[in-house]
């Protein structure tokens, strides 16, 4: 798949199954994340890969967060399955350097670019992925489990696997509604 086709036709697919990328395929995805724009050369990110038993560990973290908030059983049950929607989840963390000339906001954006690059690398290799955050990304229990510092942020949970459904049609968006020229 050429780069422009990838960028212009990519769609997130919600149904992912085995196989997940392994070996050189996974390394390529992670290397793509390392190529994100990085003002100041800070490499303000880190990636935590969950697969196999790691998916259950991630589920346990989310359940702990739900229980800490004394949420309803239905929410706790949903949390217990959240990480199992794909055979791999890569948690992307903005691991920032505070009090640097590069603002924390830009460091968070850089980590977000890493998620996008990894998602594109997955699709280019025949896999698919979808990017989620949600309230768990900001929860103190989850932040503690991932050892986040004060300005650090989970910018996304990238679910990765083999698509099990057809791609949805790419929406036809009129550039005139989104683009201005000075």
């Amino acid at each position: 798949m050429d780069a422009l086709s990838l960028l212009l036709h990519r769609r997130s697919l919600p149904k992912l199954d085995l196989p997940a990328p392994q070996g050189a395929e996974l390394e390529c995805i992670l290397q793509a994340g390392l190529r994100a724009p990085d003002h100041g050369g800070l490499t303000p990110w880190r990636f935590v890969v969950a697969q196999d038993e790691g998916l259950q560990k991630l589920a346990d973290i989310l359940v702990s967060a739900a229980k800490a908030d004394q949420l309803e059983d239905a929410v706790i049950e949903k949390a217990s399955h959240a990480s199992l929607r794909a055979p791999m989840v890569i948690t992307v963390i903005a691991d920032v350097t505070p009090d640097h000339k590069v603002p924390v906001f830009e460091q968070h954006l850089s980590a977000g670019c890493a998620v996008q690059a990894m998602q594109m690398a997955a699709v280019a290799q025949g896999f698919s992925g979808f990017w989620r955050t949600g309230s768990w990304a900001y929860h103190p229990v989850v932040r503690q489990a991932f050892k986040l510092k004060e300005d650090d942020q989970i910018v996304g949970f990238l679910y990765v696997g083999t698509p099990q459904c057809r791609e949805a049609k790419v929406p036809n968006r009129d550039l005139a509604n989104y683009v201005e020229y000075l």
Side-chain angles (χ1 to χ4, degrees):
M1 174 179 296
D2 71 85
L4 280 178
S5 291
L6 173 65
L7 292 170
L8 295 174
H9 300 289
R10 183 217 60 84
R11 298 287 298 166
S12 293
L13 299 177
K15 295 182 181 179
L16 303 173
D17 206 345
L18 291 168
Q22 300 295 317
E25 296 164 331
L26 176 57
E27 184 174 329
C28 181
I29 290 167
L30 297 170
Q31 287 288 345
L34 297 178
R35 298 301 307 144
D38 179 15
H39 182 196
L42 295 175
T43 58
W45 49 68
R46 70 187 161 93
F47 313 138
V48 180
V49 180
Q51 56 186 336
D52 304 321
E53 306 85 38
L55 292 171
Q56 187 57 56
K57 290 178 184 177
L58 179 55
D60 293 344
I61 291 167
L62 302 180
V63 166
S64 293
K67 287 181 177 179
D69 287 350
Q70 299 178 344
L71 297 176
E72 297 174 5
D73 289 343
V75 176
I76 294 169
E77 179 68 17
K78 186 175 180 181
S80 75
H81 297 292
S83 66
L84 307 175
R85 296 176 61 194
M88 176 181 289
V89 179
I90 303 172
T91 303
V92 179
I93 298 165
D95 187 5
V96 304
T97 302
D99 302 320
H100 191 275
K101 71 176 186 173
V102 177
V104 167
F105 176 71
E106 285 187 29
Q107 295 178 56
H108 287 186
L109 288 176
S110 182
C113 289
V115 179
Q116 176 74 2
M118 288 191 288
Q119 185 178 27
M120 297 299 96
V123 173
Q125 296 180 93
F127 298 99
S128 191
F130 60 90
W131 177 354
R132 294 282 188 264
T133 49
S135 60
W136 301 128
Y138 310 102
H139 196 283
V141 169
V142 177
R143 290 179 55 82
Q144 181 180 17
F146 282 97
K147 300 176 177 73
L148 272 61
K149 301 180 304 288
E150 183 179 347
D151 290 321
D152 292 352
Q153 184 60 56
I154 294 172
V155 296
F157 298 104
L158 180 61
Y159 291 73
V160 182
T162 299
Q164 298 300 306
C165 58
R166 292 185 198 178
E167 290 188 30
K169 183 179 175 189
V170 176
N172 185 12
R173 294 183 176 133
D174 183 354
L175 286 175
N177 293 326
Y178 306 96
V179 179
E180 300 175 30
Y181 294 90
L182 293 178

